[in-house]
Amino acid sequence: MSRPLPPRSLLLLIAVASLPASAWAADLDTSDSRESGWISSELPEVVVLGSRVEVRLDDAPVDTLLITRREIEDTGARDLADLLESQPGVEIIRDGSFGAGLRLQGLQGQHVLVLIDGQRMNGRTRGNVDLSRISTDRIASVEVVRGASSSLYGSEAMGGVINITTRRGGGKPLEASAQLRGDSANGYEVRGSSAIASESSSLRVGAGLLRSEPFQLDDALPSTSGSARSDWDLDVRGDHAFNSTLRIVGNVGWMSAERAGVDLGAGGAIFDRRDRTESLSLRLAPGITLGDEHSLEFAFHFTDLKNQLLQDQRGSRAMDQLQIQGEQLWEASAVHAVRLGDHHITSGVEILYEHLESPRLNSGEGERFRPAVFVQDDWQLSDEPLVALTPGLRFDHDSDFGGQFSPKLSGRWEPVEELLVRASYGWGFRAASFQELLMHFENPSVGYVVEGNPELRPESSRGASAGLTYRPTRWLRADLGVFRNDLQNLITSATTQAPAPGAPQIFQYTNVDEARTQGVESGVRLRPWAGWIFDLGYTFTDAKNLSADQWLEGRPRHRATFGTTWRAEAAGFTANVRGEWVGERPFYGVSSGLGEGALRWADPYTLASARIAQELGANVSVFVGAENIFDAGNPDDLALTPRSFFAGVHTSY
């Protein structure tokens, strides 16, 4: 199922990977800073999600999970899905054919907004952004905010927001790196990057190739459980400070991701499937500093995405399909931040335009225009003890559904230095997608038709959360939180025509369900000895469809995460073990395998990985490890890649 290497892409990768080399250690900082060379080990970590401008992590208006570059390298995670898999409160949902999505607080991937450098990603499949497309080599840090965030970010943020900050040039005038990794499943990955920097400018170029074979969890079936992958990516980021007032950041990203597998259709028909997605993304972000407490940030973003899906029926052409889909996203924003006494006020405007061309849409194309304005005031009422309130409000006007207000109120209280308490309540919403509004899709291989519904209303939520962080010493941090989301007008598909001889089953999207998700999230980080870090987390989720009086499908009620890192700096040795235990999950109807409407609870499973790395000198390190150690997975509801072992080498300059 593999294909020859594209000559131009191969030459580009060789050129980048053959630049002067350096090991990951060149990018490391002994602190947990967000990126070495740009944030001193003595400076506090900063985040942007809770206010859309950089603030100290401890001063963030909402509780924010921050994963630093140092932590990313210690885990050895290959992509964003791998990185988030063992994080408390973040559940990764893997589909062997279409990649990896996620859930936050029991809400699906279509309710979570994914940003790269503050700009939204498009190209969702089954409502999810495929997180396995995002290599960790290009990531400087990851921020996660759980719970309604529409007051700052609008549609799709009713369940939370994830922001990936890409890496920039480091503190050295010249640095470069290259990595080769192979595994026991006949997969391999090649990556290279190079960066130059001066006092006022930096430029970083990174490229990579990943190949993996398909896998099969049921040998009795001709179909594959997981697709073969062939991914290429190129990322260029540069920034320049003209003076102390004006700076500019620019990004160019290109990606090609191909999935190939075998599907089993109705009546025993067998299909060879090839799904290829290519995207080009451009971003330009000028920033103006008007004083110590006054800034103005602009951002202009464009993404062009093309998808080609080929379904080739073996032995016949009767049900062959070739579908080509094009999607463009234009986005512009201006964010103004000013500190006035005890008030830190953020305000801004945002304009979004989307255009989709697809044979699956009734009209063949769809477009959306959405301007928005927002304002947030982080108001510090007192210093000792710290008491702060953060009201925020956003108004979106969507060309499909009209106006939508999204208010939110957050608060934080620090009665003593060791204890921080946060709480928030906010409204969220999600506008129906083009597919849900306009789709007309016939799948003759399975025998069904899906129809869109232009009368759909936006989904909405009312979300509340409260939590505390306890930090009695430098070696202990404990977090405990509770959440509840009440959801209305959830969009689901309903049968409008039952299957009959000569007639397919017809589904249509509709606003039907009311639902709720509520639960508890907790985590503990221990640093008992120098070089050792232990992480433990537990999440309880109660998620129900109130309209049908059923558990929301696929959500585990219990989930535990674990991880430990041992870093021996003097010896150049790092070891990491991480994973998750996932409890029983409910499935209904066809997916339950027990008949229409029947409930089945899928068995618990444990997903774990381990990695050790050793520096062989100043410029070379080697690593070995294992993934899916307990060989979790089944062909019914858990399409996980079987246990594999990997090894690799990394060199840098």
Side-chain angles (χ1 to χ4, degrees):
M1 294 184 181
S2 62
R3 59 184 175 86
L5 298 176
R8 289 189 299 172
S9 300
L10 178 60
L11 291 175
L12 174 64
L13 179 63
I14 292 173
V16 174
S18 61
L19 291 170
S22 131
W24 275 346
D27 288 329
L28 292 181
D29 182 273
T30 55
S31 73
D32 285 336
S33 63
R34 199 170 69 169
E35 178 142 4
S36 66
W38 288 90
I39 299 177
S40 163
S41 61
E42 298 179 356
L43 292 180
E45 296 160 340
V46 297
V47 293
V48 300
L49 273 187
S51 58
R52 295 193 67 145
V53 294
E54 287 192 351
V55 297
R56 287 172 11 106
L57 179 60
D58 288 343
D59 294 337
V62 294
D63 188 22
T64 304
L65 168 66
L66 173 66
I67 306 173
T68 67
R69 181 66 199 169
R70 182 61 179 268
E71 293 170 324
I72 293 170
E73 292 172 349
D74 283 346
T75 66
R78 185 164 60 182
D79 55 50
L80 183 59
D82 289 340
L83 178 65
L84 295 176
E85 203 152 41
S86 58
Q87 296 296 329
V90 183
E91 184 185 357
I92 297 299
I93 311 301
R94 294 193 180 271
D95 183 311
S97 300
F98 297 100
L102 82 162
R103 293 192 191 106
L104 296 180
Q105 295 187 347
L107 298 179
Q108 296 285 70
Q110 64 262 35
H111 302 127
V112 180
L113 183 61
V114 180
L115 308 172
I116 295 184
D117 291 322
Q119 309 303 308
R120 67 181 59 217
M121 289 188 66
N122 61 343
R124 292 178 179 265
T125 301
R126 299 184 178 181
N128 287 304
V129 172
D130 182 6
L131 304 182
S132 67
R133 287 166 31 192
I134 307 170
S135 167
T136 53
D137 185 62
R138 65 183 295 202
I139 299 176
S141 66
V142 179
E143 301 164 60
V144 181
V145 169
R146 298 176 289 268
S149 301
S150 295
S151 63
L152 278 178
Y153 294 97
S155 180
E156 300 171 23
M158 59 190 285
V161 185
I162 293 178
N163 182 50
I164 301 107
T165 301
T166 58
R167 298 173 67 189
R168 60 181 91 176
K172 291 185 175 182
L174 173 65
E175 56 186 51
S177 67
Q179 176 176 297
L180 175 64
R181 165 182 160 144
D183 61 47
S184 58
N186 297 319
Y188 65 90
E189 183 177 17
V190 182
R191 294 215 157 267
S193 65
S194 184
I196 57 175
S198 66
E199 291 185 1
S200 59
S201 305
S202 75
L203 177 68
R204 184 181 184 276
V205 180
L209 162 66
L210 183 149
R211 287 275 176 87
S212 67
E213 296 295 319
F215 62 90
Q216 202 163 4
L217 299 178
D218 188 346
D219 294 333
L221 297 177
S223 56
T224 54
S225 303
S227 300
R229 292 181 61 181
S230 181
D231 294 356
W232 294 81
D233 63 80
L234 170 68
D235 183 65
V236 181
R237 170 170 173 154
D239 56 79
H240 177 70
F242 293 93
N243 48 50
S244 60
T245 301
L246 177 63
R247 66 190 185 282
I248 191 167
V249 178
N251 301 68
V252 179
W254 172 83
M255 178 275 297
S256 173
E258 184 170 298
R259 305 290 185 265
V262 180
D263 297 330
L264 181 62
I270 300 174
F271 296 84
D272 293 304
R273 169 182 38 81
R274 190 177 295 270
D275 189 327
R276 182 173 183 174
T277 299
E278 293 185 349
S279 70
L280 175 67
S281 179
L282 308 173
R283 172 178 173 264
L284 195 63
I288 302 173
T289 302
L290 303 173
D292 293 340
E293 306 291 348
H294 198 180
S295 66
L296 185 60
E297 305 280 347
F298 299 93
F300 306 94
H301 172 231
F302 167 73
T303 299
D304 182 39
L305 185 143
K306 183 178 182 180
N307 176 262
Q308 302 175 72
L309 173 62
L310 172 65
Q311 291 180 302
D312 184 6
Q313 184 183 4
R314 293 183 182 179
S316 174
R317 296 184 177 180
M319 291 187 285
D320 287 359
Q321 289 193 72
L322 173 61
Q323 297 183 11
I324 300 176
Q325 176 175 300
E327 184 176 352
Q328 294 82 40
L329 171 69
W330 297 83
E331 192 173 12
S333 64
V335 179
H336 176 251
V338 61
R339 188 175 294 277
L340 301 173
D342 295 327
H343 298 266
H344 188 189
I345 301 172
T346 305
S347 59
V349 297
E350 187 176 88
I351 300 174
L352 179 144
Y353 173 77
E354 294 178 278
H355 182 261
L356 177 68
E357 295 180 1
S358 172
R360 294 187 175 192
L361 302 185
N362 271 314
S363 61
E365 63 179 354
E367 62 179 7
R368 164 173 286 149
F369 178 70
R370 183 190 300 146
V373 295
F374 57 88
V375 63
Q376 178 174 282
D377 178 16
D378 188 20
W379 177 22
Q380 188 165 319
L381 281 73
S382 69
D383 294 330
E384 295 184 5
L386 171 67
V387 178
L389 288 176
T390 307
L393 178 65
R394 175 174 169 129
F395 177 76
D396 290 80
H397 190 277
D398 191 284
S399 55
D400 287 326
F401 68 83
Q404 181 78 36
F405 282 99
S406 302
K408 185 173 183 177
L409 177 63
S410 303
R412 61 191 190 278
W413 172 46
E414 192 175 90
V416 293
E417 185 177 354
E418 298 81 11
L419 183 64
L420 178 62
V421 181
R422 285 188 170 100
S424 66
Y425 175 80
W427 295 10
F429 78 98
R430 183 183 76 89
S433 67
F434 288 130
Q435 290 85 351
E436 292 164 337
L437 290 168
L438 305 172
M439 174 180 283
H440 177 80
F441 172 57
E442 299 182 15
N443 192 335
S445 65
V446 181
Y448 68 83
V449 175
V450 180
E451 293 281 1
N453 182 356
E455 302 301 320
L456 287 174
R457 300 183 302 278
E459 298 178 324
S460 62
S461 71
R462 304 291 185 265
S465 64
L468 57 86
T469 298
Y470 181 53
R471 302 161 296 184
T473 69
R474 295 187 62 182
W475 55 267
L476 172 62
R477 174 187 170 118
D479 294 276
L480 177 65
V482 295
F483 65 87
R484 180 179 173 108
N485 296 291
D486 293 297
L487 305 107
Q488 299 83 34
N489 293 325
L490 287 192
I491 296 172
T492 186
S493 59
T495 301
T496 58
Q497 175 179 297
Q505 186 174 14
I506 298 179
F507 298 92
Q508 186 177 41
Y509 290 105
T510 182
N511 292 106
V512 174
D513 296 332
E514 293 188 3
R516 66 124 200 276
T517 69
Q518 59 186 6
V520 178
E521 297 174 331
S522 61
V524 175
R525 166 162 286 196
L526 296 170
R527 302 173 184 257
W529 309 288
W532 284 91
I533 300 175
F534 294 91
D535 289 298
L536 294 172
Y538 168 74
T539 302
F540 169 77
T541 304
D542 174 36
K544 295 201 72 174
N545 180 333
L546 301 179
S547 298
D549 192 25
Q550 292 180 336
W551 301 109
L552 287 178
E553 195 169 49
R555 278 78 158 177
R557 289 172 61 79
H558 305 280
R559 178 174 175 265
T561 58
F562 56 89
T564 182
T565 299
W566 177 37
R567 187 188 304 134
E569 298 279 1
F573 177 82
T574 303
N576 177 269
V577 178
R578 58 195 175 90
E580 61 177 342
W581 174 85
V582 179
E584 293 182 324
R585 293 154 294 135
F587 290 94
Y588 294 93
V590 175
S591 59
S592 74
L594 301 175
E596 186 67 30
L599 169 64
R600 174 179 65 88
W601 288 90
D603 292 335
Y605 67 93
T606 301
L607 188 63
S609 64
R611 178 183 182 270
I612 59 174
Q614 176 65 58
E615 294 179 11
L616 300 181
N619 298 322
V620 179
S621 63
V622 295
F623 57 90
V624 297
E627 294 180 326
N628 195 3
I629 294 173
F630 299 103
D631 205 21
N634 64 71
D636 299 322
D637 52 58
L638 197 60
L640 298 178
T641 305
R643 180 195 301 119
S644 64
F645 302 91
F646 63 87
V649 59
H650 194 103
T651 178
S652 56
Y653 167 79

